[in-house]
Amino acid sequence: MLIQELVNFVPVKKHLFSILLSMLILPLISKAQGDPVNTPSGFLFEGTVSGSVIDSVSKQPVEYAAVSIISMKDSSVAGGMVTDETGKFKIEKLKPGKYVLRIKYIGYNEKLIRDIILSQASPVKNFDQVAISQATQNLNEVEITHYTEVMEANLDKRVINVEKDLTSVGGTALDVMKNVPSVQVDVDNTISLRGNSSVRILIDGRLTTMDAATLLQQIPASMVKQVEVITNPSAKYDPDGVSGIINIITKKEKKPGYNGVVSAGMGSGSTQPGGGIENFTVNKYNFSTSMNYQAGKFNFFGSYDGRYGRRWNEGSTYRELYYGDSLYDVLDQYSGKMRPSWNHTGKLGFDVAVSDKNMLTVSGNIRDEKGTPEESIDYDQRDGQNAFISHYIRNNRENNHERGYDASLNFKHLFEGKGHELVFDGFYSHSTVNEKTIIKESYFNQQGDVYSSDSIHEEITELFDRHVITAQLDYVNPTEKHGRFEAGLKYMGRINNQSINVLSNVGTDYMYEDLNRTNGFNYNDAILSAYGIYANAFKKFKYQAGLRFEQALTHSYQVTLDKTYDRDFYNFFPSLHVKYAVKEGSEFSLSYSRRINRPGNGQLNPYPDYSDKLNYRMGNPYLKPEYIGSYELSYGKFSRQLSYTATAFYRHTVNNFYRLKVVDPVSGISIVSFSNVSESHSSGLEFTYNQALAKWLRVNGNASVFYYLLEADEVYNTPRNENISYTIRGTANFTLSKNMDFQLTGNYRAPQVVPQGVMMPMWNIDLGFKVDFWNKKGSLNFKVSDIFNTQRFRIDAAFANYYSEIYHKWESRTANLTFTYKIGQGAEKREKPRDTGGGGGGDMGM
């Protein structure tokens, strides 16, 4: 039924599919042209370098080691691959010349074999065994066996290795995000990239139906392997997100036999909003496990995570309303909320090698979360002379239940030649949210006595139902002479249904359905797209150019108003990436991409939301997408002891979403709506730094400064708005011994100007400690978040006839203790590197 609805929603466009098919076939035609083995010197030549890589001590094969051949003439990479399960490698189709063989593997010293000469007389060079040694250093009794680089830079993305982050152990993927360079997580768990919250969050390259912050709180930090920060994505990616894409890569074990990891932990927090050491108790628990079993061509994997916790938050709002220059209304509001919640996440799947050239992967996830928050809001309203107007307390008791599941199927076919492949990816995700809120209000007189208990008794039921289905076909063909070609087709369909029902005077003879607040809204869209990418290298230059075509068909239906809105969009999204290697480990890069930011349900739904009696909100069904042109220029230097990057970026946005707020001077009710206004400019500088200052100390940091300008709009009478702010993050990792690590992390966000006010600064310091035992099979992790309890949010706002101060504090100072045990080989062994959908990067597949 669902699939039929999605299919019926998309009319078949013959001209579109002709374009899509042509873009997919084009690389195949290009492959057939030219003579890939005809060298510039005019004779046929196919040089080969082969051998096997072993551990210098154990003499065992080293699988997945990176092997590359570098030309001594111009330092360009002539070929490369990773070793197979037996440690073997074979690099073919090399031209005559003098080369260096380079072998790299995490935790081992780099191996270089120089002066390899390939000629017509000697076209083949075979190394029976090449031994590499572990990077072990001793300082008294301090032993460092290996250190994974915090950040790796590819052509179109940065890869952050987060497995060393001790301050997120026992936490969730959302805790991991708080320590990722360029990323900020605010008081409402909204994720921003370089100061912009319009960022696309992917899990293993896929979009899900669940809210990003909610989903990340259901993924244990121990399951996160890497975070890819893609500020200028290639044409292979969907173009959504003003500031780019954050792709979270989870761990996927694939090792012979039975292996896994089990962990359990507990944490402390306060029993009352506002905290206080006297109210601290153990009220957070978590348990997780991930397992895999490989036998022959089959690999089975699964994981489970369960957690329970109680968290609090509190807030206050002070607001003054003016008539001319006279103050006539003052509102003092305070709220406190406790949020107990339970959630469970499970995953099962398998890989099967159908043949030497075909691999099939099938997996599924299921998530379940329940919460029973309770909130009390105190309203005190007075006139300009501080005379009593009203005083009442609203108690909200919620019962929330969210369920979600997804299934994916991946099939990969390998052609002859390294990296030449065809991949099909199918994905389906479904989630439901059922939120029921019981509201009771009690009114007080001027003396503070209750004169009307439970005068308002309401039940609000909100239902959300979301579906996402995608089917994608990707073709990659790296050629020796003609560069790398990529092309792909994608279909994505989304269905979002929302309904709100309000019952008033519950428990009395006068209970009724409040039709003014009953709201139903359905939004569906289908996106058909095709892309093509070409990449190549010339001496010290690497470049990649791509173009994505997209047809988006949107349909929305406002149930309460019985109105339908249909809109279609056709767009082209180009991308360009250029990298220049000054010398090995030192490079410049330049990139451009065109992006889009589509409005969400809340911004489109035209029916007013009356859930807050003093603050109404309504969407605009005619809101257009924002379009963004994004530019970056960066310099990076990378080595084992020191690496850093400096980046300048600029974004130009048209059709800006603008949140318009108006306060009625008589009733004091504010109304928020959305419109497309003028254009904006965002620019900034970013610096990342990572260095080993001593054999026992490594530090890394990130600093960003960004400037935002929104042009004035005469139609909507919106003013010119400017904002400049910066963020600083730093981490120090101390290796106390071969089995002990200690980490300190600090964050600071400077004051920031927002459209109608100023956001105050915020900072925090976290610490983490880890000790390994039982031959590193077991470990104990202890962390304290926000040691000095400084994380809080405050914004001072003024516009037209009002002034307000908004304050919010959430439970940020917590302690957590987690025990982890590894079964079999555990999780220390690195898996084979794979392309996660970046559309190029590293050596661009050549």
Side-chain angles (χ1 to χ4, degrees), residues 664-732:
D664 188 291
V666 178
S667 65
I669 294 175
S670 67
I671 301 174
V672 174
S673 61
F674 299 88
S675 294
N676 293 111
V677 301
S678 64
E679 59 186 58
S680 66
H681 309 268
S682 179
S683 58
L685 296 172
E686 184 176 64
F687 182 77
T688 63
Y689 163 80
N690 178 33
Q691 185 175 15
L693 296 179
K695 296 178 180 179
W696 51 270
L697 173 62
R698 179 177 288 265
V699 297
N700 64 79
N702 169 251
S704 297
V705 55
F706 33 86
Y707 169 77
Y708 177 79
L709 168 64
L710 178 66
E711 301 284 3
D713 191 295
E714 295 181 358
V715 176
Y716 293 96
N717 196 30
T718 58
R720 174 188 170 98
N721 188 277
E722 294 180 274
N723 166 34
I724 185 167
S725 185
Y726 62 91
T727 61
I728 300 174
R729 174 184 286 110
T731 298

Side-chain angles (χ1 to χ4, degrees), residues 453-470:
S453 177
D454 296 345
S455 60
I456 292 180
H457 188 175
E458 298 177 335
E459 288 187 2
I460 301 177
T461 302
E462 299 181 62
L463 300 175
F464 301 87
D465 188 78
R466 304 183 181 101
H467 304 263
V468 173
I469 184 169
T470 65

Side-chain angles (χ1 to χ4, degrees), residues 103-138:
I103 301 174
K104 286 185 175 182
Y105 188 67
I106 296 173
Y108 285 76
N109 292 312
E110 179 180 282
K111 182 78 172 184
L112 296 176
I113 300 178
R114 303 179 185 276
D115 298 323
I116 300 173
I117 299 175
L118 299 179
S119 64
Q120 189 74 2
S122 179
V124 177
K125 180 67 176 178
N126 178 63
F127 297 92
D128 185 25
Q129 290 184 334
V130 180
I132 59 175
S133 58
Q134 294 191 17
T136 303
Q137 299 172 315
N138 291 294

Side-chain angles (χ1 to χ4, degrees), residues 40 81 91 96 203 328 342 487 491 515 524 632 637 697 792:
M81 64 178 298
I91 303 174
I203 308 297
Y328 73 92
W342 303 256
Y491 164 80
L515 297 180
N524 306 332
E632 283 190 19
K637 182 175 177 60
L697 173 62
R792 61 201 66 204

Side-chain angles (χ1 to χ4, degrees), residues 546-765:
L547 180 65
R548 188 181 190 93
F549 171 76
E550 180 183 280
Q551 179 187 30
L553 313 173
T554 69
H555 170 83
S556 57
Y557 174 56
Q558 218 309 314
V559 180
T560 311
L561 300 176
D562 191 25
K563 287 188 177 182
T564 299
Y565 309 90
D566 291 317
R567 309 191 75 187
D568 298 345
F569 302 93
Y570 300 84
N571 287 291
F572 287 93
F573 297 96
S575 67
L576 176 66
H577 296 80
V578 179
K579 181 177 288 188
Y580 173 73
V582 181
K583 55 184 178 180
E584 185 174 1
S586 178
E587 59 194 28
F588 284 96
S589 61
L590 176 68
S591 63
Y592 163 79
S593 69
R594 186 172 187 253
R595 316 285 302 151
I596 188 173
N597 183 30
R598 310 175 208 270
N601 280 27
Q603 295 167 313
L604 293 170
N605 188 353
Y607 196 80
D609 177 3
Y610 299 103
S611 57
D612 186 333
K613 62 174 17 177
L614 295 180
N615 299 280
Y616 297 167
R617 174 189 169 112
M618 60 189 299
N620 176 6
Y622 300 105
L623 202 62
K624 299 176 184 178
E626 294 179 324
Y627 294 99
I628 306 97
S630 178
Y631 306 81
E632 283 190 19
L633 174 64
S634 66
Y635 171 78
K637 182 175 177 60
F638 307 94
S639 68
R640 181 176 296 276
Q641 298 300 318
L642 170 65
S643 64
Y644 59 84
T645 63
T647 304
F649 58 90
Y650 169 73
R651 291 191 299 264
H652 176 226
T653 305
V654 297
N655 294 341
N656 284 269
F657 300 157
Y658 194 86
R659 188 173 179 268
L660 299 171
K661 182 177 181 179
V662 178
V663 179
D664 188 291
V666 178
S667 65
I669 294 175
S670 67
I671 301 174
V672 174
S673 61
F674 299 88
S675 294
N676 293 111
V677 301
S678 64
E679 59 186 58
S680 66
H681 309 268
S682 179
S683 58
L685 296 172
E686 184 176 64
F687 182 77
T688 63
Y689 163 80
N690 178 33
Q691 185 175 15
L693 296 179
K695 296 178 180 179
W696 51 270
L697 173 62
R698 179 177 288 265
V699 297
N700 64 79
N702 169 251
S704 297
V705 55
F706 33 86
Y707 169 77
Y708 177 79
L709 168 64
L710 178 66
E711 301 284 3
D713 191 295
E714 295 181 358
V715 176
Y716 293 96
N717 196 30
T718 58
R720 174 188 170 98
N721 188 277
E722 294 180 274
N723 166 34
I724 185 167
S725 185
Y726 62 91
T727 61
I728 300 174
R729 174 184 286 110
T731 298
N733 292 277
F734 302 86
T735 302
L736 306 180
S737 74
K738 66 179 180 180
N739 291 321
M740 289 187 185
D741 292 288
F742 177 74
Q743 179 177 303
L744 272 177
T745 300
N747 291 280
Y748 176 79
R749 191 201 66 201
Q752 184 173 340
V753 177
V754 294
Q756 295 177 351
V758 178
M759 191 183 302
M760 298 296 113
M762 185 167 61
W763 65 279
N764 69 281
I765 294 178

Side-chain angles (χ1 to χ4, degrees), residues 507-567:
T508 71
D509 295 333
Y510 305 100
M511 185 177 70
Y512 65 94
E513 182 179 2
D514 190 342
L515 297 180
N516 288 329
R517 296 160 66 190
T518 297
N519 189 353
F521 185 65
N522 302 331
Y523 177 78
N524 306 332
D525 67 5
I527 301 173
L528 299 162
S529 56
Y531 73 89
I533 294 175
Y534 175 73
N536 210 334
F538 175 72
K539 294 186 177 180
K540 294 186 177 183
F541 284 94
K542 295 178 183 177
Y543 59 90
Q544 174 181 284
L547 180 65
R548 188 181 190 93
F549 171 76
E550 180 183 280
Q551 179 187 30
L553 313 173
T554 69
H555 170 83
S556 57
Y557 174 56
Q558 218 309 314
V559 180
T560 311
L561 300 176
D562 191 25
K563 287 188 177 182
T564 299
Y565 309 90
D566 291 317
R567 309 191 75 187

Side-chain angles (χ1 to χ4, degrees), residues 340-355:
S341 64
W342 303 256
N343 70 65
H344 308 271
T345 304
K347 179 177 184 178
L348 285 174
F350 68 88
D351 302 309
V352 56
V354 181
S355 67

